[in-house]
């Protein structure tokens, strides 16, 4: 029998069956005209236009997974490959966009009961990326179940278009899969130009998060955000999963990596815009998503810009 706490988490995760609703952001009861500086972190900075445009652009891929392989790709893109492991129910779609001159690998979020089992299988296992690196067992098993074929497909696509950029994306559970794919592809010497995740759950311990920051070139220097954009929204609770209040009982910690971009609700419920989106500092800034204390899969998680 699954313990009570696990059952409650499973119920929460079942909300991920709902689609990502592009540019649909729930109303806020708070006035966010200013962001208060908190003692334990630097206040976030306003996002630049190029970064905001990047977030909006790739969200069109992150929300395409409900009918995989995607039957209606984002404008200008075409599905060139697809993988699904029938045991783990892990899947991905590989797109090519000739106009943008890029290949895009997109991982879906939780979409079936097997995915929920993956989410709940969060005891940590060693990861070869660094000494002491540990990661979420379920998400890692999901990635490994499609890793060989995915890397083969990506290598083939990039050999055909070597001048194109290669982008990795994911939403929710898919964000964790994108994270692990990036690390393993980097270890394999493959070129990755950008990673963007939306509502990514935490997939590793502090040493693993430090490793991701290191290879992505992410620091708290305002001029060095790195090439991994971890997008969060309002009080989305998934970036706080698995809950350390639970995992600490068995001596584990889950730490998010840099660089977070936090899309806050507008003061009058308007859609997210550049003035309500911020570049955050640290691994889980209290001034951004972490400080909102969201719980599980809520309205903020299924509604990203």
């Amino acid at each position: 029998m699954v313990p009570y706490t696990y059952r409650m988490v499973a119920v929460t995760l079942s909300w991920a069956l709902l689609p990502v609703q592009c540019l649909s952001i729930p109303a806020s009861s708070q006035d966010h005209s200013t962001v208060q500086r908190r003692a334990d972190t630097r206040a976030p900075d306003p996002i630049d236009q190029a970064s905001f445009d990047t977030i909006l652009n790739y969200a069109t891929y992150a929300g395409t997974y409900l009918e995989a392989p995607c039957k209606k790709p984002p404008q200008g893109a075409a599905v060139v490959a697809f993988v699904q492991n029938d045991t783990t129910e892990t899947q991905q779609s590989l797109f090519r966009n000739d106009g943008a001159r890029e290949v895009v690998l997109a991982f879906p979020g939780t979409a079936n009961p097997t995915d929920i089992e993956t989410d709940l299988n969060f005891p940590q296992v060693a990861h070869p990326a660094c000494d002491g690196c540990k990661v979420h067992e379920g998400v890692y098993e999901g990635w490994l179940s499609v890793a060989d074929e995915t890397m083969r497909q990506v290598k083939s696509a990039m050999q055909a278009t070597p001048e194109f950029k290669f982008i990795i994306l994911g939403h929710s559970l898919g964000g964790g899969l994108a994270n692990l794919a990036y690390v393993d592809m980097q270890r394999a010497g493959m070129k990755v130009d950008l990673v963007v995740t939306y509502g990514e759950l935490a997939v590793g311990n502090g040493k693993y998060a430090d490793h991701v920051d290191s290879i992505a070139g992410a620091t708290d220097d305002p001029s060095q955000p790195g090439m991994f954009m971890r997008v969060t929204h309002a009080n989305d609770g998934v970036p706080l999963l698995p809950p350390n209040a639970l995992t600490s009982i068995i001596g584990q910690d889950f730490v998010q990596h840099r660089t977070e971009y936090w899309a806050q609700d507008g003061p009058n419920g308007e859609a997210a815009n550049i003035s309500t989106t911020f570049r955050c500092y640290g691994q889980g800034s209290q001034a951004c998503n972490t400080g909102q204390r969201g719980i599980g899969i809520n309205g903020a998680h299924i509604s990203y810009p």
Side-chain angles (χ1 to χ4, degrees), residues 54-75:
T54 296
I55 289 171
L56 294 184
N57 176 47
Y58 292 115
T60 62
Y61 290 90
T64 60
Y65 62 81
L66 292 181
E67 189 179 24
C70 179
K71 300 296 191 298
K72 297 180 180 179
Q75 185 173 5

Side-chain angles (χ1 to χ4, degrees), residues 22-25 47 49-63 74 169 196 198 229 231 263 271-274 277 304-305:
C22 295
L23 289 173
S24 172
I25 293 196
I47 194 172
Q49 186 68 55
S51 296
F52 185 71
D53 291 344
T54 296
I55 289 171
L56 294 184
N57 176 47
Y58 292 115
T60 62
Y61 290 90
L169 310 171
V196 188
Y198 302 82
M229 304 179 73
V231 184
N273 58 61
I274 193 168
T277 305
Y304 265 75

Side-chain angles (χ1 to χ4, degrees), residues 23-270:
L23 289 173
S24 172
I25 293 196
S28 169
S29 60
Q30 294 178 270
D31 182 359
H32 299 292
S33 57
T34 61
V35 177
Q36 294 183 348
R37 181 179 298 275
R38 297 174 185 264
D40 60 345
T41 187
R42 186 189 313 187
D45 286 333
I47 194 172
D48 62 272
Q49 186 68 55
S51 296
F52 185 71
D53 291 344
T54 296
I55 289 171
L56 294 184
N57 176 47
Y58 292 115
T60 62
Y61 290 90
T64 60
Y65 62 81
L66 292 181
E67 189 179 24
C70 179
K71 300 296 191 298
K72 297 180 180 179
Q75 185 173 5
V79 177
V80 295
F82 172 73
V83 173
Q84 174 166 314
N85 182 285
D86 292 335
T87 300
T88 66
E89 292 287 349
T90 302
Q91 55 188 211
Q92 52 85 347
S93 293
L94 189 67
F95 301 83
R96 190 177 76 193
N97 189 321
D98 290 341
R101 297 172 66 82
E102 61 190 19
V103 172
V104 177
L105 174 65
F107 290 93
T110 301
N112 54 62
T114 303
D115 286 341
I116 294 175
E117 293 177 12
T118 295
D119 293 321
L120 294 176
N121 183 20
F122 53 71
Q124 292 175 343
V125 294
H127 191 286
C130 73
D131 185 23
C133 279
K134 294 184 178 181
V135 296
H136 187 298
E137 182 176 22
V139 183
Y140 193 35
E141 288 180 351
W143 159 240
L144 291 179
S145 74
V146 298
D148 289 346
E149 180 62 14
T150 296
M151 289 200 276
R152 185 195 67 76
Q153 290 179 352
V154 171
K155 288 177 181 178
S156 177
M158 295 308 298
Q159 286 171 357
T161 55
E163 72 281 10
F164 281 23
K165 291 183 177 180
F166 175 50
I167 320 296
I168 305 177
L169 310 171
H171 170 250
S172 193
L173 167 59
L177 292 165
N179 179 322
L180 291 163
Y182 166 57
V183 170
D184 279 359
M185 288 181 178
Q186 191 274 343
R187 293 176 59 238
M190 298 171 64
K191 181 190 80 164
V192 180
D193 294 287
L194 178 68
V195 187
V196 188
T197 63
Y198 302 82
E200 174 194 341
L201 80 170
V203 295
N205 63 358
K207 289 189 176 181
Y208 181 80
D210 289 342
H211 177 75
V212 173
D213 287 346
S214 176
I215 64 174
T219 74
D220 283 337
D221 184 323
S223 66
Q224 295 180 330
M227 45 79 71
F228 197 139
M229 304 179 73
R230 184 173 66 84
V231 184
T232 62
H233 169 221
N235 68 335
D236 181 358
V238 170
L240 306 183
L241 295 177
N244 278 325
L246 176 62
T247 59
S248 62
I249 296 173
I250 53 178
Q252 298 180 348
D253 69 311
F254 282 88
V255 178
Q256 283 286 15
H257 59 88
R258 297 172 178 86
T259 293
E260 179 185 1
Y261 293 85
W262 182 48
Q264 179 59 292
D265 294 343
N268 298 309
E270 59 269 88

Side-chain angles (χ1 to χ4, degrees), residues 5 278 295:
T5 303
F278 304 89
I295 300 176

